[in-house]
Amino acid sequence: MAAHLKKRVYEEFSRVVQVPAEEVPSKKLRLCKPSKSAALHVDLCKAANATDALQYLLQFARKPVEAESVEGVVRILLEHYYKEADSCVRLKIASLLGVLSTTPGFSPDCIVEDVVTAVANEKSHQVLAQLLDSLLTAGTQLPQIPAVAARLADVARRHLSDASFGVRNKCLQLLGRLGAADSPPGKDGDGLGTSAGAARDVPSVISDYFGDQDPRVRTAALKAMLQLHERGIKIQQMIYEQACRLLADDYEQVRSAAVQMVWVLSDLYPESIVPIPSSNEEIRLADDAFGKISHMVSDGSWMVRAQAAKTLGSMSQVSPHFLEQTLDKKLMSDLRRKRTAHERAKELFASGEFSSGRKWADDAPKEKVDTNTVNLIASGACGAFVHGLEDEMFEVRIAAVEALCRLARSSPGFAEKCLDFLVDMFNDEIEEVRLQSIHVLREISTHITLREDQLDTVLAVLEDSSRDIREALHELLCCTNVSTKECIQLALLELLKNLNKYPADRNSVWKCLKFLGSRHPMLVLPLVPELLSTHPYFDTPEPDMDDPAYIAVLVLVFNAAKSCPTMPALFSDHTFRHYAYLRDSLSYLVPPLRLPGRKQVHGLDSADCQGVESAQLFLQQSLDRVSTIQNLEAPGAQDLLIFIIRDLQRLGQLQTELAGAADFCATYLRCQLLLIKVTAVTRRFSQMRGGLVRRVCARAHAAPTNLSVVRPFPQALQEKLWNVAVPLCLEQNVTATAAAQQVLEESYKLEFMYSGLESRQVAVIHHVRLQAKALQLVLSARTTHGQDPLVSACEKFLQELDSFHRLFAAELPHLQDGFVDKLVEATPRLASRKPSELVNILQTSLRHSALLPLTLPPQIHRATANIIEPTGESDNPLKFTSGLVVALDVDATLEHVRDPHSSVKVEVVYPDGQSHVIHPKPGDFRNPGPQRHRLITQVYLSHGAWTEPCQVEVRLLLAYSSSSSSSPDDSKLAWSDSLDDLPPPEGAVEGTIAFSKPVKVFIMPKPARR
């Protein structure tokens, strides 16, 4: 018993505690970068003279400096600065201080005081100016610290009286960039803070230098005042007189800055009353400034003239009679200052003379006035725009045309008065001026109506050899109103001449006549018998429908008939047949017409008659039907999706306004249909695999020893699985892989071919892409041998999943019951990072994820391209010698393409399968309107000798990159680096999408003659 108790006691009080061995932290190798400051210090100490030191500094300026090394480098530079006696070396050090202060990640507030101390002790004017420039650079980087800005402004005040113009320039720039309206006086004890100059506000201090003896200082003072205005500091009206005096300065830079200053004051105080010099009259400040700037259009410098003309266009608060005076070189009567009869009688009485009565009305008011008595506006300002439009420099003429446009848009009366002047500019010798005049007239076309003589001048431009000029004029005629039916007839004849001389303008001329007819139906009506060559008693021959000129006439008449119900009564029988043909072949040019008793014109396009509202309702109902798919079995869901996709495609063909939205929805549903089909296939395969696994497991339990001896169990299972149904598994795997790749390609089309998408739609697109990549991972797990490739694929997918969470965190609540939501629920299991578990989770998530509802933004547009030339209709091959090149003209219209200069490419596919991709030059793109571009370029073809002509395909491609939508990584860059030459981020997917129909062209490379 005692022995038992003793054993029990020992069992209770004796324990064995195993202390885990402490892990000794492993030593890590840390690579230290060489110190920039130490290397610089060594180099500067080695310098034997100022030339060597300057060379070391120049070499150092070419090297990047990290943010953490900047402060040490600055200390070394300042230390050497105080020791250096050569001003050139100090100047270079001062410039380096300014450049170093702009290093990303470095705050320059720690070096401001040191530089201020250096400024106080510097004697060289050039070095002092460079130090002030470095202070300006450092202060610009610290706008959120008012104390630093006030300190630097005080430093600028102290050196404003310096004898060097460069120092005064930099001081004025400092005050303009960092000075406040009520800057406090200096706090130093040297007494400068209590001086009169320091106690005044910054605008008053700057205005004192408007009269500086150096023109560069005067210019800097004006620009500093303008900078104060841009920063929101109020400028007093009292400097208006000083600014007006500077308009007559001898230097053009001063006059140019003074023009801006006068304009700013006229915008701030338009209703203020200012006196007229040498008169008792007063005038609004806006009118007075307008007259003075108008006078500058006759300046001796063309740069000042161009700026003055451009500035006039932004002065919208000027009085109408001052505005109209710019179109007449003679002074108008309402701008003359005339004495009243009472004033003249008083003057006559004061002189002691009276009317003798011998001469009739010798005391009547005289209309003729001496130019010396003109006070309201200077005589040189009369006809300012006339002078600008007749200027010898085309830059001034372009500026005057643009200014007229801006003023005419806000004043219909002024638009009518300046119409003749703008029309005259169509005959300018410079193409750029002519083109700008046409664009300007198109912008003010809502306020004007062209007379016959004006239209004759406008239509003469159709003879121009420039294609851009002709097409711009076609665009102008589309939105212009004419006054008489003779104008319509004249425009039609000139457009037909243009069509005959330049057949490539066919589509542009047809479009022009479409809008010309729809805008003037009552003017086209009396011309219909003549245009269609009809006769009330005799039958006329039927015109040829292949004639582009006859099609142009029909386009004009049919578009006019849409708003004129009496016009179809003048049509002949063959005209109705031609209408039905054109309505089918050129539906975008010919509108639907209601022609009673004609079956061929009824019901051609029912969606057009229903209107956009009914089409939008149908589109929304189609999307609502998609939500019922969750309640259907797989075959029924697939059939419903097929029907909805077919309806949406047909809707996009019938209703052009909703083509983008309908195609977007159809493409998205097509992706979902492919995912449903592939998921059903993988489900059947998984069921077959599960049954096979159960049978193998049953056999394994029946004879475990045999299986374990022969081979491991997983390997036996894998071999048994693929030996049972090899053809079936391979066929299903290939089909599913192709479908997943198709979904991936369609997702890129959804993202990059459609514009107007919001964040929610982009999140849904990336969700579909993530499903396709998950499906590819599941399918690759079946055929991948070894663990390493599968592990790397799983890691890549998990990174993309993490990127999706970061990019679309705000949209995750709208993705409930989707694929990503199912993955979020299985997040704890994903932490293991085992490929087998991840594949199982992806399979389950794909099988049980719901179809996400699609909400449409207000506007979705699809990027489209239409190749106008080559037409592909010619049977005559382009012949050229093999090994050489032949130029093929390509003309295409692009709509709703984002950044076409970098994304649009031309692909040429040869009969032997070779393909060449050509990137057009930026100058080959024109921008005729918003969201529209025109590509006019040449493609060079070359190939070996052929025995007979063959066709090559020409198409347009839209290049995309998956990294284009994400912002670039803002890494630490050196101060001399830029983002232009950075490579695309790792993992970015780049590709092209064909977004135009291919055009086939016959070519014939001939063997070279020997």
PDB file of all heavy atoms in Angstrom, residues 297 325-329 382-391 400 404 421:
ATOM      1  N   VAL A 297      -4.602  95.299 -82.490  1.00  0.00           N
ATOM      2  CA  VAL A 297      -4.609  94.429 -83.668  1.00  0.00           C
ATOM      3  C   VAL A 297      -3.775  95.041 -84.785  1.00  0.00           C
ATOM      4  O   VAL A 297      -3.343  94.323 -85.705  1.00  0.00           O
ATOM      5  CB  VAL A 297      -6.064  94.174 -84.113  1.00  0.00           C
ATOM      6  CG1 VAL A 297      -6.136  93.297 -85.347  1.00  0.00           C
ATOM      7  CG2 VAL A 297      -6.844  93.505 -82.993  1.00  0.00           C
ATOM      8  N   GLN A 325     -18.362  98.044 -84.448  1.00  0.00           N
ATOM      9  CA  GLN A 325     -17.360  98.956 -84.971  1.00  0.00           C
ATOM     10  C   GLN A 325     -16.104  98.232 -85.450  1.00  0.00           C
ATOM     11  O   GLN A 325     -15.384  98.722 -86.317  1.00  0.00           O
ATOM     12  CB  GLN A 325     -16.971  99.976 -83.887  1.00  0.00           C
ATOM     13  CG  GLN A 325     -15.930 101.004 -84.315  1.00  0.00           C
ATOM     14  CD  GLN A 325     -16.408 101.882 -85.461  1.00  0.00           C
ATOM     15  OE1 GLN A 325     -17.333 102.669 -85.303  1.00  0.00           O
ATOM     16  NE2 GLN A 325     -15.799 101.724 -86.628  1.00  0.00           N
ATOM     17  N   THR A 326     -15.865  97.026 -84.940  1.00  0.00           N
ATOM     18  CA  THR A 326     -14.678  96.271 -85.360  1.00  0.00           C
ATOM     19  C   THR A 326     -14.788  95.764 -86.789  1.00  0.00           C
ATOM     20  O   THR A 326     -13.805  95.261 -87.340  1.00  0.00           O
ATOM     21  CB  THR A 326     -14.461  95.067 -84.428  1.00  0.00           C
ATOM     22  OG1 THR A 326     -15.631  94.247 -84.434  1.00  0.00           O
ATOM     23  CG2 THR A 326     -14.177  95.529 -83.008  1.00  0.00           C
ATOM     24  N   LEU A 327     -15.983  95.874 -87.394  1.00  0.00           N
ATOM     25  CA  LEU A 327     -16.181  95.417 -88.769  1.00  0.00           C
ATOM     26  C   LEU A 327     -16.173  96.563 -89.765  1.00  0.00           C
ATOM     27  O   LEU A 327     -16.403  96.338 -90.962  1.00  0.00           O
ATOM     28  CB  LEU A 327     -17.499  94.636 -88.885  1.00  0.00           C
ATOM     29  CG  LEU A 327     -17.617  93.380 -88.016  1.00  0.00           C
ATOM     30  CD1 LEU A 327     -18.992  92.778 -88.159  1.00  0.00           C
ATOM     31  CD2 LEU A 327     -16.546  92.369 -88.372  1.00  0.00           C
ATOM     32  N   ASP A 328     -15.995  97.788 -89.315  1.00  0.00           N
ATOM     33  CA  ASP A 328     -16.030  98.959 -90.189  1.00  0.00           C
ATOM     34  C   ASP A 328     -14.823  99.834 -89.911  1.00  0.00           C
ATOM     35  O   ASP A 328     -14.585 100.236 -88.762  1.00  0.00           O
ATOM     36  CB  ASP A 328     -17.323  99.755 -89.950  1.00  0.00           C
ATOM     37  CG  ASP A 328     -17.565 100.787 -91.045  1.00  0.00           C
ATOM     38  OD1 ASP A 328     -16.665 100.972 -91.887  1.00  0.00           O
ATOM     39  OD2 ASP A 328     -18.647 101.409 -91.048  1.00  0.00           O
ATOM     40  N   LYS A 329     -14.066 100.136 -90.947  1.00  0.00           N
ATOM     41  CA  LYS A 329     -12.878 100.960 -90.761  1.00  0.00           C
ATOM     42  C   LYS A 329     -13.221 102.418 -90.521  1.00  0.00           C
ATOM     43  O   LYS A 329     -12.401 103.162 -89.989  1.00  0.00           O
ATOM     44  CB  LYS A 329     -11.957 100.836 -91.977  1.00  0.00           C
ATOM     45  CG  LYS A 329     -11.328  99.468 -92.140  1.00  0.00           C
ATOM     46  CD  LYS A 329     -10.373  99.454 -93.317  1.00  0.00           C
ATOM     47  CE  LYS A 329      -9.719  98.075 -93.464  1.00  0.00           C
ATOM     48  NZ  LYS A 329      -8.778  98.045 -94.604  1.00  0.00           N
ATOM     49  N   CYS A 382     -10.862 101.176 -85.048  1.00  0.00           N
ATOM     50  CA  CYS A 382     -11.979 100.938 -85.966  1.00  0.00           C
ATOM     51  C   CYS A 382     -11.596  99.851 -86.966  1.00  0.00           C
ATOM     52  O   CYS A 382     -10.506  99.885 -87.552  1.00  0.00           O
ATOM     53  CB  CYS A 382     -12.348 102.223 -86.695  1.00  0.00           C
ATOM     54  SG  CYS A 382     -12.828 103.559 -85.596  1.00  0.00           S
ATOM     55  N   GLY A 383     -12.521  98.916 -87.188  1.00  0.00           N
ATOM     56  CA  GLY A 383     -12.252  97.843 -88.134  1.00  0.00           C
ATOM     57  C   GLY A 383     -11.149  96.908 -87.685  1.00  0.00           C
ATOM     58  O   GLY A 383     -10.326  96.456 -88.501  1.00  0.00           O
ATOM     59  N   ALA A 384     -11.131  96.580 -86.397  1.00  0.00           N
ATOM     60  CA  ALA A 384     -10.055  95.734 -85.875  1.00  0.00           C
ATOM     61  C   ALA A 384     -10.072  94.359 -86.534  1.00  0.00           C
ATOM     62  O   ALA A 384      -9.014  93.825 -86.917  1.00  0.00           O
ATOM     63  CB  ALA A 384     -10.189  95.610 -84.356  1.00  0.00           C
ATOM     64  N   PHE A 385     -11.250  93.768 -86.683  1.00  0.00           N
ATOM     65  CA  PHE A 385     -11.313  92.446 -87.295  1.00  0.00           C
ATOM     66  C   PHE A 385     -11.018  92.511 -88.786  1.00  0.00           C
ATOM     67  O   PHE A 385     -10.484  91.554 -89.352  1.00  0.00           O
ATOM     68  CB  PHE A 385     -12.687  91.820 -87.047  1.00  0.00           C
ATOM     69  CG  PHE A 385     -12.845  91.256 -85.663  1.00  0.00           C
ATOM     70  CD1 PHE A 385     -13.888  91.668 -84.843  1.00  0.00           C
ATOM     71  CD2 PHE A 385     -11.952  90.342 -85.168  1.00  0.00           C
ATOM     72  CE1 PHE A 385     -14.039  91.159 -83.571  1.00  0.00           C
ATOM     73  CE2 PHE A 385     -12.081  89.822 -83.886  1.00  0.00           C
ATOM     74  CZ  PHE A 385     -13.131  90.238 -83.088  1.00  0.00           C
ATOM     75  N   VAL A 386     -11.362  93.630 -89.425  1.00  0.00           N
ATOM     76  CA  VAL A 386     -11.022  93.774 -90.838  1.00  0.00           C
ATOM     77  C   VAL A 386      -9.509  93.794 -91.008  1.00  0.00           C
ATOM     78  O   VAL A 386      -8.948  93.142 -91.893  1.00  0.00           O
ATOM     79  CB  VAL A 386     -11.667  95.058 -91.405  1.00  0.00           C
ATOM     80  CG1 VAL A 386     -11.297  95.217 -92.873  1.00  0.00           C
ATOM     81  CG2 VAL A 386     -13.172  95.014 -91.244  1.00  0.00           C
ATOM     82  N   HIS A 387      -8.833  94.532 -90.129  1.00  0.00           N
ATOM     83  CA  HIS A 387      -7.375  94.533 -90.170  1.00  0.00           C
ATOM     84  C   HIS A 387      -6.817  93.148 -89.870  1.00  0.00           C
ATOM     85  O   HIS A 387      -5.830  92.717 -90.491  1.00  0.00           O
ATOM     86  CB  HIS A 387      -6.823  95.542 -89.160  1.00  0.00           C
ATOM     87  CG  HIS A 387      -7.095  96.969 -89.516  1.00  0.00           C
ATOM     88  ND1 HIS A 387      -6.579  97.577 -90.638  1.00  0.00           N
ATOM     89  CD2 HIS A 387      -7.850  97.920 -88.895  1.00  0.00           C
ATOM     90  CE1 HIS A 387      -6.975  98.830 -90.694  1.00  0.00           C
ATOM     91  NE2 HIS A 387      -7.754  99.068 -89.646  1.00  0.00           N
ATOM     92  N   GLY A 388      -7.420  92.450 -88.903  1.00  0.00           N
ATOM     93  CA  GLY A 388      -6.926  91.116 -88.555  1.00  0.00           C
ATOM     94  C   GLY A 388      -7.116  90.114 -89.671  1.00  0.00           C
ATOM     95  O   GLY A 388      -6.238  89.277 -89.926  1.00  0.00           O
ATOM     96  N   LEU A 389      -8.259  90.189 -90.382  1.00  0.00           N
ATOM     97  CA  LEU A 389      -8.508  89.250 -91.475  1.00  0.00           C
ATOM     98  C   LEU A 389      -7.663  89.554 -92.700  1.00  0.00           C
ATOM     99  O   LEU A 389      -7.496  88.674 -93.566  1.00  0.00           O
ATOM    100  CB  LEU A 389      -9.997  89.279 -91.849  1.00  0.00           C
ATOM    101  CG  LEU A 389     -10.966  88.788 -90.774  1.00  0.00           C
ATOM    102  CD1 LEU A 389     -12.400  88.986 -91.231  1.00  0.00           C
ATOM    103  CD2 LEU A 389     -10.722  87.329 -90.433  1.00  0.00           C
ATOM    104  N   GLU A 390      -7.150  90.784 -92.806  1.00  0.00           N
ATOM    105  CA  GLU A 390      -6.306  91.162 -93.940  1.00  0.00           C
ATOM    106  C   GLU A 390      -4.821  91.160 -93.586  1.00  0.00           C
ATOM    107  O   GLU A 390      -3.994  91.629 -94.374  1.00  0.00           O
ATOM    108  CB  GLU A 390      -6.706  92.557 -94.432  1.00  0.00           C
ATOM    109  CG  GLU A 390      -8.118  92.619 -94.993  1.00  0.00           C
ATOM    110  CD  GLU A 390      -8.525  94.044 -95.341  1.00  0.00           C
ATOM    111  OE1 GLU A 390      -7.754  94.976 -94.988  1.00  0.00           O
ATOM    112  OE2 GLU A 390      -9.590  94.227 -95.945  1.00  0.00           O
ATOM    113  N   ASP A 391      -4.470  90.647 -92.432  1.00  0.00           N
ATOM    114  CA  ASP A 391      -3.088  90.686 -91.973  1.00  0.00           C
ATOM    115  C   ASP A 391      -2.206  89.815 -92.862  1.00  0.00           C
ATOM    116  O   ASP A 391      -2.658  88.832 -93.463  1.00  0.00           O
ATOM    117  CB  ASP A 391      -3.011  90.207 -90.521  1.00  0.00           C
ATOM    118  CG  ASP A 391      -1.715  90.612 -89.848  1.00  0.00           C
ATOM    119  OD1 ASP A 391      -0.722  89.877 -89.998  1.00  0.00           O
ATOM    120  OD2 ASP A 391      -1.700  91.666 -89.209  1.00  0.00           O
ATOM    121  N   ALA A 400      -7.999  85.911 -85.786  1.00  0.00           N
ATOM    122  CA  ALA A 400      -9.147  86.785 -86.015  1.00  0.00           C
ATOM    123  C   ALA A 400     -10.394  85.984 -86.382  1.00  0.00           C
ATOM    124  O   ALA A 400     -11.506  86.294 -85.931  1.00  0.00           O
ATOM    125  CB  ALA A 400      -8.812  87.784 -87.114  1.00  0.00           C
ATOM    126  N   LEU A 404     -13.851  85.945 -84.176  1.00  0.00           N
ATOM    127  CA  LEU A 404     -15.165  86.229 -84.756  1.00  0.00           C
ATOM    128  C   LEU A 404     -16.156  85.125 -84.439  1.00  0.00           C
ATOM    129  O   LEU A 404     -17.329  85.386 -84.136  1.00  0.00           O
ATOM    130  CB  LEU A 404     -15.029  86.392 -86.273  1.00  0.00           C
ATOM    131  CG  LEU A 404     -14.614  87.764 -86.799  1.00  0.00           C
ATOM    132  CD1 LEU A 404     -14.441  87.715 -88.303  1.00  0.00           C
ATOM    133  CD2 LEU A 404     -15.646  88.816 -86.428  1.00  0.00           C
ATOM    134  N   PHE A 421     -17.534  88.700 -94.219  1.00  0.00           N
ATOM    135  CA  PHE A 421     -16.094  88.658 -93.970  1.00  0.00           C
ATOM    136  C   PHE A 421     -15.594  87.214 -93.870  1.00  0.00           C
ATOM    137  O   PHE A 421     -14.512  86.884 -94.372  1.00  0.00           O
ATOM    138  CB  PHE A 421     -15.765  89.429 -92.685  1.00  0.00           C
ATOM    139  CG  PHE A 421     -16.132  90.879 -92.749  1.00  0.00           C
ATOM    140  CD1 PHE A 421     -17.350  91.333 -92.259  1.00  0.00           C
ATOM    141  CD2 PHE A 421     -15.268  91.805 -93.315  1.00  0.00           C
ATOM    142  CE1 PHE A 421     -17.689  92.659 -92.307  1.00  0.00           C
ATOM    143  CE2 PHE A 421     -15.604  93.148 -93.367  1.00  0.00           C
ATOM    144  CZ  PHE A 421     -16.819  93.581 -92.878  1.00  0.00           C
TER     145      PHE A 421
END
